[in-house]
Amino acid sequence: MITVTNCGHDSHHPKPCDIEHTDGLPDYLLLLVKTDAWFFVDGKRCFTQPNMCILFDKRTYIHYGRSISNYNDDWIHFDMNDDTPAQLDLKKIPLNQPVYPADFRRLSLYAQLLTLEFHSPSVHHIQIIDRLMRSLLWSLDADVSSFHQNPQVHRHFVRFSRLRTRLYNNPSDSWSAQKAARSTGLSVSYFQHLYKNFFGCPFQQDIINARLEQAKFYLSNSSMSIRNLSEFCGYENELHFMRQFKKFEGMTPSEFRRNHN
């Protein structure tokens, strides 16, 4: 179980700040820093950029601040009991070192939800706090593991991730690599290279995947006709939908429906 002992979201310091914990803290401290700041790392003062994350270990010297006003961060003090699953291993996340997550905004949203839950406890307060904190740490671990070694690629990931979410939410839209590349400000060839690198399949294939996933859901959970379903999922005609479905699923839409109802 992960216990949050204190937390805050979007905290501002209206004046220059200098925060020091000489003997460290009895729990872990996670900071999501939204402004430039300075931190002592390995005994040296270093300057960090906005949207930086740092996880301090227990009983570790902590010293940070900002020389001008309006330092801004999310902060979470937490601890883990002995029964916390082994797969949630903080050793995978660099401790006491600044890191720049691919999707900082998502981590900050988790911090916001944690803060709301922390100050407005529900019936399942303890369980919700535990699950939100695990989700935050797992997301941070995934960001660091995937992109810490390749910052040039790292900077594109958030835009690509949001683009893919839009694709799977709206597969019937008129999608093309040319339009998608323009939305990211990249050439078509570089866009396609990065997309496959990030998600393991070409963009054009993922359009098909998104449409077929939507089709399978409605074949299993609705009585929509095959003709209407093909149009609903973005196909220009029923025959093309049926051919593509059989090619990738190994059966016709009607056979799929019979097998999954």
Side-chain angles (χ1 to χ4, degrees), residues 165-185:
T165 299
R166 292 200 304 273
L167 168 60
Y168 274 80
N169 284 340
N170 303 282
S172 61
D173 286 357
S174 179
W175 291 96
S176 72
Q178 290 76 16
K179 289 181 181 179
R182 282 199 300 271
S183 74
T184 58

Side-chain angles (χ1 to χ4, degrees), residues 182-214:
R182 282 199 300 271
S183 74
T184 58
L186 302 172
S187 69
V188 175
S189 60
Y190 191 46
F191 167 82
Q192 292 175 322
H193 168 75
L194 286 180
Y195 196 95
K196 186 173 182 180
N197 188 37
F198 287 143
F199 306 119
C201 69
F203 180 69
Q204 197 63 38
Q205 180 61 51
D206 221 14
I207 297 173
I208 296 171
N209 294 344
R211 289 174 175 171
L212 293 182
E213 285 301 311
Q214 185 177 64

Side-chain angles (χ1 to χ4, degrees), residues 129-175:
I129 289 286
D130 172 67
R131 300 311 190 271
L132 285 172
M133 196 64 214
R134 292 183 196 213
S135 298
L136 194 164
L137 291 172
W138 273 321
S139 296
L140 176 58
D141 174 65
D143 274 3
V144 172
S145 300
S146 300
F147 301 105
H148 186 61
Q149 301 301 324
N150 197 340
Q152 190 66 21
V153 173
H154 160 291
R155 66 191 178 91
H156 294 296
F157 177 73
V158 175
R159 284 184 296 170
F160 274 71
S161 181
R162 291 172 186 163
L163 171 71
R164 191 172 194 245
T165 299
R166 292 200 304 273
L167 168 60
Y168 274 80
N169 284 340
N170 303 282
S172 61
D173 286 357
S174 179
W175 291 96

